[in-house]
Amino acid sequence: MKQLLSEMAGHTQIDLDNTINSGQVFLWKRLDGFWYGINGQDVLKVSQSDRITSYQNSRTDFFRKKDNLEEIICSISKDKTTRLAVKKYLGLRLLRQDPFQCFISFIVSSNSNIQKIRSNLEHLSVKFGKKVSFDKKEFYTFPEPRKIASASIGEISSCGLGYRSRFVLDAARIIQSGQIDLEDLKKCSYSEANRIIQSVPGIGSKVADCILLFSLDKLEAFPLDRWMIRILEKYYPGKFGIKTKSITQKQYEVLHEKIVKHFGPYAGYAQQFLFKMERENYQKKWL
DNA sequence: CCAAGGCCTGAATG
DNA sequence: ACATTCAGGCCTT
């Protein structure tokens, strides 16, 4: 562990490629040696050597640079597997995304795959976002809640969302009407925010955890999808008492409690490292 | 509380 | 080619 931390001190650099390419964000492209990404109404630009810049000159800490990584890594490194994953992907980070974009993105993600999610979100942005020019390149910002909220089902489903179109429309209306204020959820506890966000049709346990972890600062969120279940079965056989591949809501809750008990309050970081390691093992192409 | 089945769509598989 | 299966779930019965 000591060795790991001293290694970190020299390598506090963020590993951009692996971070952007870790299933958290979908609207990022590499152009002329830079990464450009849509974050709500903003476009971010970053390269491995330069500071992050933004179309809107916003100050969002997108890469969570203020997180105390040393403390977090110490905290989550409870076992061999996690230590290996952390060591292998030291520069991997959680991102702090625009909440509404994240909210819609993960509703769209359910029962889908990366490529389709990206295609769906790009279509939504072209159709309902604003065209902006940044660095002499064109981008479409992510649609504002009111734009989606006032669309028809047909317009939304023309973006290829299928049966998720209804969920996306209703979800946007819930935000637009103020029935749920995503910023407010940042101030709630994990379980309270989780309960509220799961009241939205189309958001179950897994999608909720993604939104909470990637945009609402709930670092104990630990999205349990098919991959994570497989990972837990493989590296922690018997430890968490997983019985079936698809788990019920109740089983999800029980499992999540055990996870937090094991990994601690920054469990979400552990999830990210483990997930990345296993996906890489399977040599999946993501971008 | 659990199990089973259906769901849009596109890429992968046979 | 063409049919079938499957994918980073969720909802209803």
Side-chain angles (χ1 to χ4, degrees):
Chain A
M1 178 50 58
K2 220 177 200 176
Q3 192 185 354
L4 196 59
L5 289 176
S6 68
E7 205 170 320
M8 269 189 75
H11 291 78
T12 35
Q13 270 280 16
I14 294 174
D15 182 342
L16 263 188
D17 290 359
N18 271 329
T19 297
I20 287 168
N21 200 10
S22 65
Q24 300 182 67
V25 288
F26 307 97
L27 296 175
W28 283 73
K29 298 181 208 181
R30 207 198 235 305
L31 299 168
D32 301 339
F34 289 91
W35 280 106
Y36 290 88
I38 306 304
N39 191 47
Q41 299 310 298
D42 203 3
V43 185
L44 304 177
K45 175 189 180 184
V46 59
S47 76
Q48 199 57 257
S49 46
D50 289 349
R51 274 193 59 207
I52 185 168
T53 56
S54 122
Y55 172 71
Q56 301 269 21
N57 287 319
S58 67
R59 293 180 170 222
T60 159
D61 182 15
F62 190 75
F63 289 95
R64 308 190 65 99
K65 289 188 176 171
K66 289 179 185 159
D67 283 357
N68 185 341
L69 257 292
E70 288 193 21
E71 183 197 335
I72 290 171
I73 283 176
C74 267
S75 168
I76 62 175
S77 296
K78 308 285 195 197
D79 55 74
K80 246 191 177 126
T81 309
T82 315
R83 281 194 290 273
L84 178 63
V86 166
K87 191 176 173 185
K88 228 173 155 180
Y89 298 98
L90 219 40
L92 183 64
R93 294 301 143 86
L94 278 175
L95 301 173
R96 180 182 284 114
Q97 301 181 39
D98 173 76
F100 180 69
Q101 178 174 341
C102 188
F103 177 75
I104 297 297
S105 296
F106 283 92
I107 293 174
V108 168
S109 81
S110 103
N111 196 19
S112 187
N113 55 67
I114 300 277
Q115 290 170 14
K116 190 151 91 73
I117 299 163
R118 184 184 310 122
S119 144
N120 292 164
L121 295 176
E122 271 170 6
H123 280 113
L124 276 178
S125 296
V126 170
K127 201 166 177 69
F128 300 110
K130 285 199 207 95
K131 190 199 276 190
V132 301
S133 181
F134 180 41
D135 263 13
K136 297 180 181 167
K137 302 172 202 314
E138 277 186 1
F139 300 93
Y140 288 89
T141 61
F142 198 76
E144 295 181 88
R146 62 182 165 79
K147 292 286 284 187
I148 299 180
S150 61
S152 69
I153 287 284
E155 287 175 302
I156 295 173
S157 82
S158 76
C159 299
L161 309 205
Y163 65 88
R164 303 167 197 84
S165 305
R166 166 56 63 188
F167 294 147
V168 166
L169 175 58
D170 290 344
R173 286 180 175 168
I174 286 170
I175 301 303
Q176 170 62 17
S177 72
Q179 195 181 325
I180 290 178
D181 182 331
L182 294 173
E183 286 301 323
D184 278 354
L185 296 185
K186 288 187 181 174
K187 300 169 206 147
C188 299
S189 67
Y190 166 76
S191 59
E192 178 68 356
N194 190 45
R195 186 184 63 71
I196 292 171
I197 209 160
Q198 280 199 53
S199 71
V200 178
I203 300 186
S205 325
K206 186 268 173 180
V207 169
D209 268 341
C210 288
I211 298 167
L212 293 171
L213 181 59
F214 301 146
S215 72
L216 300 177
D217 294 334
K218 300 295 178 272
L219 298 183
E220 68 268 55
F222 194 104
L224 288 158
D225 53 25
R226 288 189 155 99
W227 279 95
M228 270 318 299
I229 299 288
R230 267 179 241 158
I231 290 167
L232 295 177
E233 282 175 328
K234 177 172 170 187
Y235 294 103
Y236 306 87
K239 177 162 179 63
F240 297 109
I242 299 163
K243 288 170 186 99
T244 50
K245 275 172 191 147
S246 67
I247 57 178
T248 65
Q249 170 109 23
K250 183 65 188 169
Q251 287 171 320
Y252 190 107
E253 279 171 30
V254 172
L255 182 51
H256 181 263
E257 275 180 34
K258 290 181 187 166
I259 296 271
V260 173
K261 208 162 269 175
H262 178 71
F263 290 107
Y266 306 114
Y269 265 98
Q271 187 268 358
Q272 208 56 28
F273 284 107
L274 291 170
F275 189 71
K276 181 70 193 174
M277 177 171 74
E278 198 63 4
R279 290 300 292 224
E280 206 74 357
N281 287 346
Y282 278 80
Q283 310 252 313
K284 281 268 180 185
K285 272 190 284 174
W286 287 49
L287 275 174

